[in-house]
Amino acid sequence: AGFPLCARCAVDVARNADWTLEGTPPQQIVRCRAHGRRHKPYVAPVVRTWQQESALLAEKSRQVLLSWVFSLVLLHRAMTTVACRIGLQSETLTKTRELLNRQELAYRTLPLELQRFGPMSDAPKADARRVEDLIVFRHRDAEGRPVGESYIHALPCTPRAARSYTFTEYLMDECQHWERDEDFEESYIAALATVKGGGRLTAISSVGRPESYHYRLCRGLV
């Protein structure tokens, strides 16, 4: 099983683009020709686009797994960047916590040598700490001295939550399915402060209501 991207192809642009379709819709499977592994050839270009943009809007099908992709990308950011502050929002706080749970699971299932902050726990002195709606990584220098913390925060889907913190990365998920579309619109506007402060905002969703603010944003109607 594992994440459906051939890791060997991911570092080779030519091979990443060399794939074949098997089966018939909607049960088609993509495989890389080089190794015969199940493959998501769009992951690399999507992440490259994300790296180049300060604000990214995207629609997706659930099979595309963009929520997983960005959850893992942002986990990597928190693990490798001192003082990285990441905010997560989804259609409900429960769904947002699921994103945080995925990130915790991804860290815990890394090979031990890649768990650079040690085992994740809720202990106050742990360098990798999960507490309720927060994952915290305590970065250290080569001598083992603390040099700063990075965190990932699961937030309620309310505008107040988006205005209450300063983030370097902000992920909004399932934007067309929030119970109150007004909450997404106001949260999105509040989250634009992340972009103005030099950070990055990502707003993604499976396709939902045509009248929703995110649906209209993606089509340039607002």
Side-chain angles (χ1 to χ4, degrees), residues 83-102:
C84 183
R85 301 176 301 277
I86 298 171
L88 307 177
Q89 277 187 313
S90 190
E91 58 186 301
T92 66
L93 181 56
T94 298
K95 295 279 188 172
T96 310
R97 286 169 175 157
E98 288 177 7
L99 296 177
L100 201 67
N101 290 341
R102 292 176 186 178

Side-chain angles (χ1 to χ4, degrees), residues 96-132:
T96 310
R97 286 169 175 157
E98 288 177 7
L99 296 177
L100 201 67
N101 290 341
R102 292 176 186 178
Q103 292 170 319
E104 179 183 4
L105 175 64
Y107 182 85
R108 290 182 181 275
T109 53
L110 285 172
L112 291 179
E113 62 271 19
L114 296 182
Q115 294 183 28
R116 60 176 67 188
F117 299 93
M120 184 173 289
S121 76
D122 60 357
K125 293 185 178 181
D127 285 349
R129 192 177 183 214
R130 169 71 189 272
V131 184
E132 296 181 349

Side-chain angles (χ1 to χ4, degrees), residues 89 155-156 158-165 167 170 186-188 190-191:
Q89 277 187 313
L155 301 167
T158 65
R160 178 177 296 179
R163 288 192 290 265
S164 298
Y165 303 91
F167 295 102
Y170 207 103
E186 293 178 29
S187 295
Y188 176 81

Side-chain angles (χ1 to χ4, degrees), residues 64-79:
V64 169
L65 300 178
L66 275 193
S67 298
W68 266 105
V69 170
F70 286 116
S71 293
L72 298 180
V73 166
L74 292 177
L75 173 66
H76 181 264
R77 283 279 290 160
M79 291 175 60

Side-chain angles (χ1 to χ4, degrees), residues 17-22 28-33 36-37 39 41:
D18 187 16
W19 46 269
T20 183
L21 276 173
E22 299 178 2
Q28 287 178 298
I29 295 173
V30 178
R31 291 192 188 277
C32 69
R33 295 182 191 275
R37 297 182 181 179
H39 199 18

Side-chain angles (χ1 to χ4, degrees), residues 36-82:
R37 297 182 181 179
R38 294 186 66 170
H39 199 18
K40 297 288 185 183
Y42 53 79
V43 170
V46 163
V47 173
R48 283 196 292 268
T49 300
W50 173 83
Q51 290 172 327
Q52 296 164 3
E53 301 292 337
S54 57
L56 179 65
L57 299 169
E59 291 179 318
K60 61 185 177 71
S61 71
R62 296 189 186 277
Q63 290 78 17
V64 169
L65 300 178
L66 275 193
S67 298
W68 266 105
V69 170
F70 286 116
S71 293
L72 298 180
V73 166
L74 292 177
L75 173 66
H76 181 264
R77 283 279 290 160
M79 291 175 60
T80 57
T81 309
V82 178

